[in-house]
Amino acid sequence: AAALPAGRVEAIDLTATLGPETPLIKLPPSIGLNTPAVEIHTISHYDDKGPFWAWNWLKLGEHSGTHFAAPQHWITGKDYPDGATDTIPVRNFVGPLNVIDCSAEVARDPDFLLTVDHIKAWEAKHGAIEKGSWVVMRSDWYKRNGNEAAFLNAAEKGPHSPGPTAEAIQYLIDKGVIGWGSETVGTAAGSAGGMPPPFPAHNLMHKNNRYGLASLCNLDRLPPKGAVIFAAPLKIRHGTGSPLRVLALVGR
């Protein structure tokens, strides 16, 4: 605590701005309905509807913008009593952070997939991934966030964006990680719908009562190891997820 005001520790914002222009995942009609666009409505703004104050009301989906995915978001995690945003133990919202830098690979190939071999090579260089920690994939994809078409990067046969293989997610689960995060619109690759199992970052993480973070920003400002992440969702009753403000503390 003393290191923060002294400047020895810096707080880094890993969150995208939430508003009507926030890119949202687009599902094909054969799969299901989509979340509505974010809406911000004025209640009063120092006027006859409230002369001394300004405030708004919001309309948004739980999985809008930079958001937390709880186990009950996916059918594989639906039966965990502590798998909703109001029942998850709060200690799980804070933990050591491992940042795997895949930005060079993604610059060459937007469909890049993180494999077990990539993770093991990263561990050989930076140290083992700890039980109870978070792992996030740096891709610099967040720099596309201001342009929905570029951020979603959809083509006729589906979206093209990076993510993990099913084997990579299972490897992290076996290591005991508490959550997985990415800079893309969801926690899975654009091609994840065709993987076995489909959408493994959701399917396997939530099956094992673990968590996801999507649309993260500024991972390029973090070291591979040493940061502490704070990712606390809104305490929504039976919530399957929540927009949130994700922060990281980093020693200078």
Side-chain angles (χ1 to χ4, degrees):
L4 278 166
R8 297 193 303 273
V9 170
E10 182 181 8
I12 305 293
D13 189 1
L14 308 184
T15 317
T17 300
L18 187 65
E21 305 304 320
T22 294
L24 303 174
I25 195 166
K26 301 290 193 296
L27 299 175
S30 59
I31 293 180
L33 299 176
N34 284 299
T35 190
V38 176
E39 297 180 14
I40 303 176
H41 298 274
T42 300
I43 299 173
S44 67
H45 194 79
Y46 324 116
D47 51 26
D48 58 346
K49 298 176 183 177
F52 307 128
W53 55 86
W55 53 352
N56 305 312
W57 67 271
L58 310 178
K59 177 180 178 181
L60 70 165
E62 292 175 321
H63 299 263
S64 299
T66 303
H67 65 272
F68 184 101
Q72 289 187 14
H73 173 49
W74 214 252
I75 191 170
T76 53
K78 66 183 180 65
D79 294 324
Y80 286 110
D82 60 348
T85 56
D86 60 332
T87 58
I88 294 170
V90 295
R91 66 178 180 275
N92 293 344
F93 301 144
V94 182
L97 183 61
N98 301 279
V99 182
I100 300 178
D101 184 0
C102 304
S103 57
E105 292 87 346
V106 173
R108 294 190 294 268
D109 178 12
D111 289 311
F112 171 77
L113 296 178
L114 179 71
T115 67
V116 174
D117 287 343
H118 290 123
I119 299 173
K120 288 182 176 179
W122 183 92
E123 288 185 294
K125 184 176 181 180
H126 300 291
I129 292 170
E130 316 94 327
K131 181 179 180 180
S133 65
W134 284 79
V135 176
V136 295
M137 178 179 171
R138 176 191 162 189
S139 61
D140 289 352
W141 201 262
Y142 83 93
K143 296 177 181 179
R144 300 170 173 241
N145 202 295
N147 182 323
E148 183 180 68
F151 189 67
L152 300 181
N153 205 31
E156 183 178 344
K157 294 185 179 180
H160 296 271
S161 56
T165 63
E167 293 78 14
I169 289 294
Q170 188 61 56
Y171 178 79
L172 295 176
I173 291 168
D174 293 342
K175 297 285 289 188
V177 304
I178 204 160
W180 158 264
S182 71
E183 298 179 17
T184 54
V185 72
T187 56
S191 60
M195 294 180 181
F199 305 101
H202 292 79
N203 189 306
L204 298 175
M205 274 287 169
H206 299 328
K207 179 181 180 180
N208 289 274
N209 207 16
R210 316 295 170 88
Y211 319 117
L213 293 171
S215 294
L216 293 168
C217 298
N218 297 323
L219 297 184
D220 52 347
R221 297 180 61 187
L222 303 181
K225 272 184 172 292
V228 176
I229 191 171
F230 294 78
L234 295 172
K235 197 173 182 179
I236 301 169
R237 182 175 296 171
H238 308 307
T240 70
S242 164
L244 75 172
R245 193 73 175 259
V246 186
L247 303 175
L249 296 185
V250 182
R252 289 184 180 274

